[in-house]
């Protein structure tokens, strides 16, 4: 088995979620990803709970760990010219540079795309931001939830009689990196064919708009878009409480045939008016005393789309996910734990998920062993606070 991205080198200046999630995928598939961090301006991901051991520790954040597997870390003070010089040496050996700073930061430290090209003419620069680098919103600062507001996701989600609904996590920080990964691979292929690098500008707003295409189409047809658990394409769609605390089953009846099948199962087929409302009422009563898995099984046997709603514990212990979805790693602060692997199965190549780095863990490996810097010089830079 070979790692498909084994020869790709990435200088990763990104932080928090939108950039690191993309470079995690690339690193797990074999790319060499060197994460360039700062001890004075910590990656907010390192500050995000929960922490292993329960105490705040910049090397023990579960959020950071999950988002940064298989990478190396160096800590450079980019406010110092000597620090920027070292960063440029990492750029010089990289195929790709990734950043998601606020607009203008890379330019202020001397790492604009033009300056990167002067270092490495065929360099690929991936920039991820809330609303892109150009246009009237090109300079705004924000996070994934800002994108949820700007994209229409918040206004088109939730219950029709309630205020706009914000997603429980920064959805833009999850969707945009998928596009960033695709963009990186496309740019690498373009470079292979033409020898040319390029700058790719990826916003969080536009990928979210892609995911909302059906809702935008519904608006143009004058249909309601805030439908709670319902769907405009189904006669009946909802979740129903089952026996036990917080136990539910999700059910969708898309056709009249499925509606009548459900009515038959619920012994209301002879009712004068079989409608989505009467089936919903009968299904609600039936589910309250039944096991969610039994309900789902019975409905599916009748050709109805139904599934028991899994909570976090159910998902984590799901037998189907125990064969490759998680990989065990050993970490100095996290101990022995499992990390999510790429949700992909290759027939020939493979992936390799290794531990996320502690801050600056690979300083000697990168600057001395990899770049050939004088160990004494590196020690002086550490003493001067330029490296950490």
């Amino acid at each position: 088995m070979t790692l498909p991205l084994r020869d790709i080198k990435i200088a990763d200046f990104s932080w928090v979620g939108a950039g690191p999630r993309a470079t995690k995928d690339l690193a797990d598939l074999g790319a060499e990803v060197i994460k360039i961090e700062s001890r004075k301006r910590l990656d907010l991901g390192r500050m995000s709970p929960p922490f292993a051991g329960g105490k705040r520790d910049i090397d023990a954040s579960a959020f950071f760990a999950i988002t940064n597997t298989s990478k190396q870390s160096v800590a450079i003070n980019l406010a110092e010219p000597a620090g920027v010089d070292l960063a440029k040496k990492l750029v010089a050996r990289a195929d790709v540079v990734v950043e998601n700073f606020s607009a203008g930061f890379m330019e202020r430290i001397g790492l604009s795309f033009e300056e990167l090209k002067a270092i490495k003419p065929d360099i690929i620069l991936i920039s991820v931001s809330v609303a892109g680098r150009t246009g009237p919103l090109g300079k705004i600062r924000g996070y994934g939830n800002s994108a949820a507001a700007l994209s229409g996701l918040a206004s088109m989600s939730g219950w029709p009689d309630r205020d706009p609904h914000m997603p429980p996590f920064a959805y833009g920080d999850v969707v945009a990196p998928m596009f960033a990964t695709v963009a990186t691979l496309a740019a690498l292929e373009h470079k292979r064919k033409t020898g040319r690098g390029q700058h790719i500008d990826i916003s969080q707003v536009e990928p979210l708009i892609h995911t909302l295409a059906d809702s935008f189409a519904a608006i143009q047809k004058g249909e309601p878009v805030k439908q709670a658990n319902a769907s405009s394409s189904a006669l009946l769609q909802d979740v129903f409480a089952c026996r036990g605390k917080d136990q539910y089953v999700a059910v969708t009846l898309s056709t009249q045939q499925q509606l009548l099948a459900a009515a038959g199962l619920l012994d209301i087929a002879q009712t004068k008016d079989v409608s989505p409302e009467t089936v919903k009422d009968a299904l609600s009563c039936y589910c309250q005393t039944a096991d969610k898995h039994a309900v789902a099984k019975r409905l599916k046997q009748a050709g109805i789309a139904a599934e028991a709603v899994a909570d976090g514990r159910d998902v984590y212990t799901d037998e189907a996910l125990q064969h490759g979805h998680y990989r065990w790693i050993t970490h100095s602060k996290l101990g022995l734990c499992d990390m999510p692997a790429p949700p992909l199965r290759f027939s020939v190549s493979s992936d390799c998920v290794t531990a996320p780095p502690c801050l600056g863990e690979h300083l000697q490996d990168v600057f001395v062993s990899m770049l050939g810097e004088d160990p004494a010089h590196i020690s002086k830079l550490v003493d001067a606070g330029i490296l950490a």
Side-chain angles (χ1 to χ4, degrees):
M1 291 288 186
T2 57
L3 295 169
L5 301 180
R6 184 181 57 187
D7 297 326
I8 303 302
K9 296 179 175 60
I10 298 174
D12 183 9
F13 291 82
S14 68
W15 65 334
V16 196
R21 286 185 188 276
T23 50
K24 165 197 161 52
D25 292 336
L26 300 169
D28 288 343
L29 293 173
E32 175 198 277
V33 177
I34 298 176
K35 188 173 176 65
I36 300 158
E37 302 188 71
S38 168
R39 189 170 289 277
K40 290 189 174 180
R41 190 187 188 200
L42 287 169
D43 185 332
L44 296 179
R46 289 192 178 277
M47 312 286 280
S48 300
F51 299 99
K55 294 182 179 178
R56 185 174 174 177
D57 185 330
I58 60 173
D59 291 323
S61 162
F63 173 88
F64 180 88
I66 291 169
T67 314
N68 289 282
T69 53
S70 310
K71 303 179 186 178
Q72 301 178 65
S73 169
V74 295
I76 305 177
N77 183 354
L78 294 174
E80 295 288 343
V84 174
D85 287 343
L86 285 172
K88 288 180 176 178
K89 291 182 178 180
L90 293 174
V91 171
R93 64 184 301 281
D95 300 292
V96 182
V97 170
V98 180
E99 63 90 16
N100 62 341
F101 294 121
S102 56
F105 180 80
M106 291 292 277
E107 287 77 5
R108 289 197 297 275
I109 62 173
L111 295 175
S112 67
F113 182 50
E114 294 304 317
E115 288 163 313
L116 294 177
K117 283 198 297 182
I119 301 167
K120 185 81 180 294
D122 62 352
I123 197 72
I124 295 166
L125 173 61
I126 304 292
S127 295
V128 185
S129 59
V130 171
R133 294 297 193 210
T134 60
L137 299 179
K139 294 184 178 179
I140 69 166
R141 302 177 65 176
Y143 298 94
N145 285 336
S146 308
L150 288 168
S151 66
L153 173 61
S155 70
M156 294 191 286
S157 302
W159 272 251
D161 59 342
R162 299 184 189 177
D163 295 335
H165 175 75
M166 292 294 286
F169 57 90
Y171 202 44
D173 274 339
V174 177
V175 178
M178 299 179 188
F179 285 79
T181 301
V182 172
T184 300
L185 298 177
L188 286 168
E189 178 63 8
H190 180 266
K191 175 180 164 180
R192 187 185 69 80
K193 293 177 177 177
T194 67
R196 299 181 62 188
Q198 58 188 305
H199 181 197
I200 300 177
D201 180 8
I202 302 164
S203 79
Q204 295 190 37
V205 173
E206 289 183 82
L208 283 178
I209 292 173
H210 269 254
T211 69
L212 295 165
D214 289 349
S215 294
F216 284 110
I219 288 176
Q220 293 182 42
K221 292 190 293 185
E223 298 175 354
V225 293
K226 293 177 65 174
Q227 300 186 68
N229 290 327
S231 169
S232 58
S233 62
L235 297 174
L236 171 60
Q237 176 173 283
D238 211 337
V239 294
F240 297 87
C242 294
R243 187 178 67 212
K245 183 180 179 183
D246 297 331
Q247 301 296 300
Y248 300 90
V249 64
V251 180
T252 300
L253 304 176
S254 298
T255 65
Q256 187 68 20
Q257 183 180 12
Q258 291 175 332
L259 187 74
L260 294 175
L265 290 176
L266 298 166
D267 295 329
I268 59 170
Q270 303 305 317
T271 303
K272 185 177 180 180
D273 296 315
V274 174
S275 67
E277 290 73 23
T278 57
V279 170
K280 181 176 181 177
D281 290 343
L283 192 55
S284 295
C285 293
Y286 166 67
C287 288
Q288 288 177 7
T289 58
D291 175 77
K292 65 180 181 181
H293 296 287
V295 173
K297 181 178 180 180
R298 190 179 181 199
L299 291 173
K300 285 191 287 188
Q301 287 174 339
I304 296 168
E307 197 57 76
V309 176
D311 60 21
R313 176 59 60 182
D314 293 334
V315 173
Y316 184 70
T317 57
D318 189 331
E319 178 66 23
L321 296 175
Q322 302 306 311
H323 304 285
H325 185 82
Y326 306 106
R327 303 291 167 76
W328 288 99
I329 59 102
T330 300
H331 187 272
S332 60
K333 294 292 183 70
L334 301 167
L336 179 65
C337 59
D338 47 5
M339 291 284 141
L344 314 163
R345 300 293 180 269
F346 294 90
S347 64
V348 176
S349 56
S350 183
D351 58 58
C352 183
V353 179
T354 60
C358 293
L359 179 62
E361 177 181 346
H362 300 95
L363 183 141
Q364 293 294 329
D365 294 336
V366 171
F367 291 117
V368 177
S369 302
M370 187 181 293
L371 294 183
E373 294 288 324
D374 181 354
H377 176 59
I378 295 301
S379 295
K380 288 182 180 178
L381 293 176
V382 171
D383 293 341
I386 295 170
L387 294 175

